Amino acid sequence: MAQFDSRSMVEAAAATLGTSTAAPVSGPHRLAAAAEQAAEEPVAPAMSPIVLAGAVRMIELALVALIGTAIYVAYVVPMEGIAWHYFGAIAAVSVLAMLAFQVADIYQVQAFRGHEKQYFRLASAWSVVFLMLIGASFFAKAGEEFSRVWLGSFYALGLIGLLVFRRALFVMVRAWTKEGRLNRRTAIVGGGEAGENLINAIKAERDTDVRIIGVFDDRADDRSPTHVAGERKLGTVDDLVEFARRTRVDLVIFALPISAEGRILAMLKKLWVLPVDIRLSAHSNKLRFRPRSYSYLGSVPVLDVFDRPITDWDVVMKFLFDRIVGAVALILLSPLMLATAVAIKLDSKGPVFFKQRRHGFNNDEIEVYKFRSLYTDMTDHAVQKSVTKDDPRVTRVGRFIRKTSIDELPQLINVVVKGNLSLVGPRPHAVNQKIENRQFDEAVDGYFARHRVKPGITGWAQINGWRGELSSPEKMKGRVEHDLYYIENWSLLFDLEILVKTPLALLKSENAY
């Protein structure tokens, strides 16, 4: 089954049901008691199995190279001097060992949890690598070029080092699994027989990372009991939205027949704004697709509906990009920031910095730093009134730094030090900020979907002219559309493009007051 486009799916849901796609987060709706109790339980942050496997590859590659080099320096160099062909052999062994371990299938989290089987496969693959090295040197008539003591020591100490590392890895992975860091916390949507069959199938899997945390169902009749296959019902789909704001949810699985299209769309239009993977269970469905259409949770087939944006190695790359580039920018711009701080102090009384509560990732509230641009006694922390052209609350220095966006530079502290902002992403909006007396999510469908990624100092909307005053729902809709485009098409090169274009976009500042 082809992957769904999030925008078209939600638009189809809205057209079918004739309702808004905005998801309630807080306000009059109160989380159900069972869900609230579950949400308060302490939860460790998730760890990506893909990143873990990649890290193990790199560590073992470095470990093999280090052991081979250490033996060479300790034994060969004092006797034979420096011989560069040893470095070629060490590099070959390191790379071949990583490939052999991959073929032996010991770079899976399930293997990290294993005992004898993991160690036996590792020893076998390591032995094959050295047999290949010996065979290659024999046929190349290069056997006399390598010390037998070095070769034997490399094999023995390398094997011991790898086994010790794998034992330590086993202990760490077991602890992380117990803490829930390597589990996918999963909510099941839909009770009744379909939900029961799905839960039983998942529980029957011998080694799965899926941990069911509860069942959510909009039905309140006998088809949706309080417990399904031993898992308690925590509330409705509205409860699930708020539940996922308050605790970690990694995966949502719909245990509903494909024929229940109306119910599925009604629920999807509420859930798509969450930063979670959403799947449709194919376990009980009689409709069959080609095997390639399914993804699997162990052996349980599911259909992919939505994927969480920016996951696994993408998270690592974006984190490094933000920290490294952000730190460089903070250093280079520090003279300008110092001069701005002096100008603010000379222009008007009050603090240099202005701190404001804004919506961050997954709708969490974060504190964002800015240079103060309004008179202290007129500062509007609650953003009851947006800044307009020739606003009397803005200081002389404030007009200039707002026009040029210099007032945003302290947000580099949020990026580098606090880590609650990215360099590039949807701009964070102030909590309780309104348009025409309506909250943003009430004015624009799908508004909360922009919070599926960490907000940024600059973004795709800003370089395309959607910056400055938010005076109408149309302006906010334009921002949201560009933010969603950014989320769905993210790449590191896209971030770099936006950063490069940002200074040019600042020259077009007719909407910034």
Side-chain angles (χ1 to χ4, degrees), residues 268-288:
L268 280 178
K269 73 184 181 64
K270 299 176 181 178
L271 296 178
W272 82 290
V273 300
L274 296 173
V276 300
D277 294 327
I278 299 180
R279 305 287 183 260
L280 177 62
S281 170
H283 180 70
S284 301
N285 287 315
K286 295 180 180 179
L287 184 62
R288 290 290 177 260

Side-chain angles (χ1 to χ4, degrees), residues 29-40:
H29 178 72
R30 177 172 175 77
L31 196 60
E36 187 164 7
Q37 180 183 358
E40 294 304 319

Side-chain angles (χ1 to χ4, degrees), residues 40-339:
E40 294 304 319
E41 296 173 0
V43 177
M47 178 180 293
S48 167
I50 293 175
V51 174
L52 175 61
V56 171
R57 286 184 179 91
M58 290 186 287
I59 291 172
E60 290 185 337
L61 178 71
L63 179 62
V64 170
L66 180 62
I67 291 173
T69 303
I71 299 171
Y72 166 72
V73 171
Y75 179 78
V76 177
V77 172
M79 298 185 64
E80 302 179 13
I82 296 176
W84 295 104
H85 59 274
Y86 277 93
F87 291 103
I90 292 170
V93 170
S94 302
V95 174
L96 285 174
M98 186 175 64
L99 295 175
F101 297 161
Q102 180 69 43
V103 173
D105 199 27
I106 55 174
Y107 280 133
Q108 304 291 331
V109 173
Q110 291 86 345
F112 301 157
R113 297 190 184 108
H115 291 277
E116 291 78 7
K117 183 182 289 188
Q118 175 189 192
Y119 305 137
F120 176 76
R121 288 184 178 181
L122 184 145
S124 299
W126 181 248
S127 300
V128 167
V129 169
F130 273 80
L131 287 175
M132 292 173 62
L133 180 64
I134 292 171
S137 64
F138 172 78
F139 285 107
K141 297 182 179 181
E144 298 299 324
E145 299 294 327
F146 294 96
S147 164
R148 291 178 177 82
V149 173
W150 173 80
L151 191 63
S153 301
F154 193 5
Y155 173 79
L157 294 179
L159 180 59
I160 292 172
L162 288 167
L163 291 175
V164 169
F165 170 71
R166 284 284 172 147
R167 179 60 187 176
L169 179 64
F170 165 75
V171 173
M172 289 188 293
V173 167
R174 184 172 60 177
W176 291 333
T177 302
K178 187 176 181 181
E179 294 170 1
R181 300 186 67 182
L182 286 171
N183 292 330
R184 280 191 285 179
R185 289 169 53 85
T186 303
I188 305 297
V189 175
E193 184 179 354
E196 185 174 1
N197 290 339
L198 173 63
I199 292 171
N200 287 332
I202 291 174
K203 289 182 175 180
E205 292 294 313
R206 184 181 174 200
D207 191 2
T208 179
D209 62 350
V210 175
R211 179 192 169 194
I212 298 172
I213 55 177
V215 178
F216 295 82
D217 197 340
D218 280 347
R219 298 176 299 184
D221 53 24
D222 294 339
R223 295 174 297 173
S224 180
T226 57
H227 285 77
V228 180
E231 301 295 333
R232 57 179 174 169
K233 178 181 175 181
L234 298 181
T236 65
V237 173
D238 284 331
D239 292 321
L240 174 55
V241 173
E242 191 169 349
F243 180 76
R245 301 292 193 199
R246 300 175 61 172
T247 189
R248 196 186 106 212
V249 176
D250 304 308
L251 175 65
V252 174
I253 307 177
F254 281 81
L256 298 170
I258 294 178
S259 58
E261 179 183 4
R263 287 184 63 204
I264 292 173
L265 289 176
M267 295 177 183
L268 280 178
K269 73 184 181 64
K270 299 176 181 178
L271 296 178
W272 82 290
V273 300
L274 296 173
V276 300
D277 294 327
I278 299 180
R279 305 287 183 260
L280 177 62
S281 170
H283 180 70
S284 301
N285 287 315
K286 295 180 180 179
L287 184 62
R288 290 290 177 260
F289 297 92
R290 291 179 300 172
R292 219 180 301 175
S293 302
Y294 299 105
S295 59
Y296 292 86
L297 305 173
S299 61
V300 179
V302 293
L303 297 172
D304 296 353
V305 181
F306 294 125
D307 287 323
R308 181 195 319 221
I310 312 181
T311 58
D312 301 322
W313 281 109
D314 288 341
V315 175
V316 176
M317 296 305 295
K318 191 167 177 63
F319 172 86
L320 293 175
F321 181 81
D322 286 340
R323 290 302 200 278
I324 295 172
V325 177
V328 171
L330 189 59
I331 293 169
L332 294 178
L333 292 170
S334 56
L336 175 60
M337 295 175 66
L338 180 60

